[in-house]
Amino acid sequence: MTLIYLPGDAGIKLRSICYKPFFKSCGKRVYIDSGVHLKGMKYMNLGSDIHIDKNCIIQAGPASTGIQKKIENNSFSGKEGELLIGNQVHIVQNCMLFAFGGIKIGNQCTLSASTKVYSQSNIPYDPDDKGKIVSIMPYNTANFIIGPVVLMDNVWLGLNCIVMPGSTIEKNSFAQSFSLIKGNFSENSYLGGQPAKKLRSRFE
């Protein structure tokens, strides 16, 4: 616990050394700032030159039990529960990533502060019987949707974006702050809205 909150360069260096053996794979120059909580590290594959800023929560591993509505995502190359992060990735303060259904983040991606990526999320009904009254509690009998999330190379998510299960954003795309991202978006998209839509091309 002390290591999680150890501040400054000393903390970053110690975490880099001590955490590396617990990842499934880990490249060079992976900087993890103070207050970052990692759960399921053996399911995490990290590239090189990654910065994870203060107070992020990142979880990977098998999905919860319960009634599942699964979304297929052919863009995801890993296994369910895996987190795959490429090279030159910046995950800014207070981000949350839940890779129970699988998350892939490509090279040169940025997740701005307080962005949340969900590859699994609860749903307020039974997908097999929508007339049935259900509760989210207890969690082990709740209904949920699960599907891999893929952010291809050079995707930038603005402040407080939310990415829902099964979504794919193709390379060179940008999402405005506070966007709710559900579904698939083509290469070079400039997204915005709740739910997000392609507003124009990012690059002319």
Side-chain angles (χ1 to χ4, degrees), residues 19-20 22-28 30 38-48 50 52 58-61 76-89 91 97 99 102-107:
Y19 287 3
K20 189 168 186 175
F22 295 97
F23 291 115
K24 185 172 182 180
S25 63
C26 184
K28 298 177 180 179
V30 174
L38 302 169
K39 185 175 181 181
M41 294 169 70
K42 66 181 180 180
Y43 299 97
M44 298 180 186
N45 302 266
L46 309 183
S48 298
I50 295 172
I52 303 175
I58 302 176
Q59 296 188 20
F76 183 66
S77 56
K79 297 178 181 177
E80 189 173 288
E82 282 191 324
L83 173 65
L84 313 175
I85 300 180
N87 303 315
Q88 298 179 333
V89 172
I91 300 173
L97 282 69
I103 294 175
K104 180 180 179 181
I105 300 173
N107 301 321

Side-chain angles (χ1 to χ4, degrees), residues 51 161 192-193:
H51 287 251
C161 284

Side-chain angles (χ1 to χ4, degrees), residues 7-8 11 43 47 52 58 63-64 69-70 92 101 108 113 125 152 173 181:
Y43 299 97
I52 303 175
I58 302 176
S64 304
K69 180 180 177 183
K70 291 199 173 186
V92 188
Q108 298 179 318
Y125 56 86
M152 295 189 180
S173 295
I181 297 159

Side-chain angles (χ1 to χ4, degrees), residues 142-161:
N143 308 303
F144 61 87
I145 187 169
I146 185 169
V149 171
V150 176
L151 308 179
M152 295 189 180
D153 292 352
N154 193 26
V155 167
W156 176 10
L157 303 182
L159 299 166
N160 288 286
C161 284

Side-chain angles (χ1 to χ4, degrees), residues 175-196:
Q176 288 181 342
S177 296
F178 298 96
S179 295
L180 174 60
I181 297 159
K182 299 170 67 176
N184 301 322
F185 296 90
S186 60
E187 178 181 341
N188 193 31
S189 291
Y190 188 105
L191 315 175
Q194 297 183 345

Side-chain angles (χ1 to χ4, degrees), residues 100-130:
F100 306 124
I103 294 175
K104 180 180 179 181
I105 300 173
N107 301 321
Q108 298 179 318
C109 289
T110 296
L111 279 63
S112 299
S114 298
T115 284
K116 299 169 182 66
V117 181
Y118 297 98
S119 60
Q120 175 187 327
S121 181
N122 289 100
I123 49 178
Y125 56 86
D126 184 334
D128 297 321
D129 182 3
K130 294 186 179 179

